[in-house]
């Protein structure tokens, strides 16, 4: 497995989009990873807060181990401005 995992290397497909919520998923299975899985991310905006929820679904017949690490680079330095 590459350093920092493989999820960041795959494209995300749009599952649904609303004014305050976007759900994306990875549909490609990782070459060399011996398990079948599903991976989704839900981004929700409420007032001045962004929430990110990840869902990993085991689609295999055996128990799998998974570790998630997610961060948005430099977000703490950004100033978010209203478009109004």
């Amino acid at each position: 497995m590459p350093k920092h995992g493989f999820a960041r290397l795959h494209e995300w497909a749009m599952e649904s989009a609303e004014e305050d919520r976007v759900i994306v998923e990875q549909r490609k299975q990782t070459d060399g990873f011996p398990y079948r899985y599903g991976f989704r991310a839900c981004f929700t905006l409420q007032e001045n807060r962004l929430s990110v929820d990840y869902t990993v679904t085991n689609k295999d017949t055996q128990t799998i181990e998974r570790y998630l690490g997610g961060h948005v680079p430099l977000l703490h330095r950004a100033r978010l401005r209203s478009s109004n």
Side-chain angles (χ1 to χ4, degrees):
M1 183 175 310
K3 187 175 182 179
H4 300 296
F6 50 76
R8 64 189 174 82
L9 303 174
H10 296 300
E11 291 185 19
W12 293 87
M14 182 78 64
E15 184 175 300
S16 66
E18 300 171 21
E19 183 176 318
D20 60 349
R21 180 181 304 192
V22 174
I23 300 175
V24 294
E25 66 178 340
Q26 289 189 347
R27 296 183 179 150
K28 181 184 184 298
Q29 295 294 286
T30 301
D31 295 333
F33 190 68
Y35 309 106
R36 292 180 49 245
Y37 63 93
F39 189 31
R40 297 170 73 200
C42 177
F43 299 88
T44 305
L45 185 61
Q46 292 179 318
E47 295 181 14
N48 63 347
R49 179 180 294 164
L50 175 65
S51 299
V52 182
D53 295 299
Y54 297 110
T55 303
V56 177
T57 304
N58 183 355
K59 296 182 176 183
D60 211 275
T61 58
Q62 57 187 316
T63 301
I64 65 173
E65 291 187 29
R66 84 300 182 226
Y67 301 94
L68 295 178
H71 58 88
V72 180
L74 306 177
L75 184 59
H76 65 280
R77 295 183 186 173
R79 290 189 180 204
L80 303 178
R81 297 182 189 163
S82 171
S83 60
N84 296 336

